[in-house]
Amino acid sequence: MAMVDKACLGNITSVTEFQLLGFQIRPELKPFLFTVFLTIYILTVIGNILIIAVVSSDSHLHSPMYFFLVNLSFVEVWYTTAIAPLMLSGMLTEGSPISFSGCISQFHISGFLVITEYLLLTVMAYDRYVAICRPLHYVVLMGKQLCLQLAVAAWLTGFLSTTITSIFLCMLQFSRQSFIDHFFCDFGSLIKASCSDTSLVEMEVFVISTVVTSVSLLVIIASYIHIISDILKIPSSQGRHRAFSTCSSHLAVVVTYFGTLISIYMVPAQGQSLNLNKALSLLYTAATPLFNPIVYALRNKDVHKSLRTLSLRRTSMLKN
C-alpha cells in the first residue's frame, strides 16, 4: 500500500498533468548522454525495421521462426518509440511534463508490448523445440494457421492484461502537484505518486506478472531441456553445432530480456530501490531492443545471407 505523504494531505484532486523528473545528472553530461541514447534509439528502429524488410522480401525466410521474429521486431520498434522520445526530451530539460491521459497511455502501450514480447519469446522457444526435437512433424505442427493464432493470442493477452491495470490506475487519486521520479510512466513510479490505497492494483499486477512470467519460463525451460538433450545425442560435433546455432540467437535474447524484467515486475513496487529500478528500466528500454536485431543479424546465417543479397540487389538497381 502506498504511504500517504505530506504532499497528499489536503491536496488531493483530479490530476491533469505529471512531471517526469527523469535522470538527475550533471548538466555538462546531458548533451553527451542525449547523443548516445538518440543514437541507440535510431539504430534500434533502423535495425528492427531492417529485419522486418529482409524477412518480408526473402521467400526463403517465410517460416514460422521468422514470422515470430517479425512480430518481435515490430514490438521492439513500437516499445522503444513509446518511451525514447520523452526520455530524450527530459535529458535536455529539467524534467518533462506529460498529461494524465498521456501517462496512462504510455504505461498501457509499454506494458502491453512487454507482455506481448514475453509471450512471443515463449512461442519462439516452442517453435525451436518442434524444429529440433520433432523435425519430421514440423510443417504439420507449426502450420501457418497455428502460427497466426499464437501470434494473435500473444498480442491480445498483452493488450487485455494491461487494460485491466490501466483501468485500476485511472481510479487512483494523485496530489495536485504530482511528480514521477522516473524517465517514463512506470507502474512502480505511478504507485509511489498516488495518494490512494494501491494494494489492490499492486496485487493485480503481481498476480498477472507472476502468471505470465512463470508460464513463459516453464515453457522456455522445458523446451530447452528437450532441445539440449536431443542435441547432445547427435554424434558429430558439427551436427551439434549446426543444431544449436538455430536457437542460440533466441536463447541470447531470452536471457537478456527476462533477466532484467523479472527483477522489476516480479517484485512489488515498495520492495525496490528507485535507482536500481531506473538502471534496469534503462537497460531493457534502450539496450535490449537494440540487442535483438544485432543478435539476429550477426549470429543468424540466414538473416546475414539475406541482408547481403538485399544489399547487392539494391546496389545493382542503383547502378542501372
Side-chain angles (χ1 to χ4, degrees):
M1 175 176 160
M3 297 291 292
V4 178
D5 57 26
K6 292 180 180 179
C8 290
L9 297 177
N11 198 27
I12 297 176
T13 186
S14 297
V15 66
T16 58
E17 186 178 86
F18 290 109
Q19 188 74 17
L20 293 174
L21 299 182
F23 299 98
Q24 283 73 54
I25 54 179
R26 293 162 58 182
E28 59 268 24
L29 292 177
K30 288 185 176 182
F32 170 73
L33 291 176
F34 174 83
T35 304
V36 169
F37 287 107
L38 176 61
T39 303
I40 290 175
Y41 171 60
I42 293 172
L43 290 175
T44 298
V45 173
I46 292 174
N48 282 288
I49 289 178
L50 191 59
I51 285 181
I52 295 172
V54 168
V55 173
S56 301
S57 63
D58 191 341
S59 59
H60 295 95
L61 299 181
H62 292 177
S63 65
M65 173 183 171
Y66 295 107
F67 169 73
F68 294 122
L69 177 58
V70 165
N71 278 265
L72 194 64
S73 292
F74 192 76
V75 166
E76 300 287 25
V77 169
W78 284 107
Y79 179 71
T80 191
T81 300
I83 294 173
L86 199 61
M87 179 185 75
L88 291 168
S89 172
M91 285 184 175
L92 296 179
T93 60
E94 294 298 327
S96 301
I98 183 172
S99 67
F100 177 77
S101 59
C103 189
I104 297 299
S105 297
Q106 188 188 56
F107 162 78
H108 187 274
I109 293 170
S110 59
F112 146 52
L113 293 173
V114 164
I115 295 176
T116 301
E117 185 155 7
Y118 260 94
L119 298 175
L120 286 173
L121 288 171
T122 304
V123 172
M124 291 173 76
Y126 174 72
D127 171 73
R128 291 300 83 206
Y129 157 73
V130 176
I132 294 173
C133 300
R134 304 187 66 182
L136 298 178
H137 302 90
Y138 183 73
V139 176
V140 176
L141 293 176
M142 297 302 295
K144 289 183 179 180
Q145 185 175 356
L146 177 61
C147 291
L148 182 60
Q149 290 173 345
L150 289 172
V152 170
W155 285 93
L156 281 179
T157 301
F159 180 80
L160 294 175
S161 299
T162 313
T163 297
I164 297 172
T165 307
S166 297
I167 292 172
F168 275 117
L169 289 175
C170 288
M171 297 168 63
L172 298 180
Q173 291 181 313
F174 296 88
S175 166
R176 186 178 293 109
Q177 295 180 331
S178 288
F179 297 92
I180 294 180
D181 196 1
H182 216 303
F183 57 87
F184 75 109
C185 292
D186 171 74
F187 174 75
S189 299
L190 280 168
I191 291 302
K192 289 176 183 177
S194 173
C195 298
S196 304
D197 180 354
T198 61
S199 56
L200 182 61
V201 66
E202 285 192 77
M203 180 58 66
E204 180 264 339
V205 168
F206 181 73
V207 169
I208 290 178
S209 301
T210 302
V211 170
V212 172
T213 305
S214 299
V215 171
S216 296
L217 284 177
L218 283 174
V219 173
I220 290 171
I221 291 171
S223 297
Y224 275 102
I225 287 175
H226 284 90
I227 288 170
I228 293 171
S229 176
D230 277 33
I231 288 176
L232 293 176
K233 294 176 183 177
I234 300 174
S236 68
S237 59
Q238 185 178 2
R240 289 195 296 271
H241 176 75
R242 188 185 301 113
F244 186 72
S245 66
T246 63
C247 57
S248 59
S249 298
H250 172 262
L251 186 59
V253 172
V254 165
V255 170
T256 304
Y257 190 77
F258 275 72
T260 54
L261 283 177
I262 287 175
S263 59
I264 294 177
Y265 291 102
M266 287 290 286
V267 179
Q270 295 300 323
Q272 297 179 31
S273 161
L274 183 59
N275 291 331
L276 177 62
N277 183 282
K278 282 186 183 182
L280 290 172
S281 297
L282 187 62
L283 179 62
Y284 80 77
T285 55
T288 304
L290 178 61
F291 185 63
N292 180 35
I294 289 176
V295 167
Y296 278 101
L298 297 181
R299 293 179 59 89
N300 190 295
K301 292 181 179 179
D302 292 334
V303 174
H304 203 202
K305 182 180 177 181
S306 294
L307 277 171
R308 284 184 295 177
T309 302
L310 184 62
S311 178
L312 290 172
R313 190 184 306 165
R314 291 290 176 86
T315 304
S316 177
M317 289 175 62
L318 289 173
K319 287 181 178 180
N320 294 332

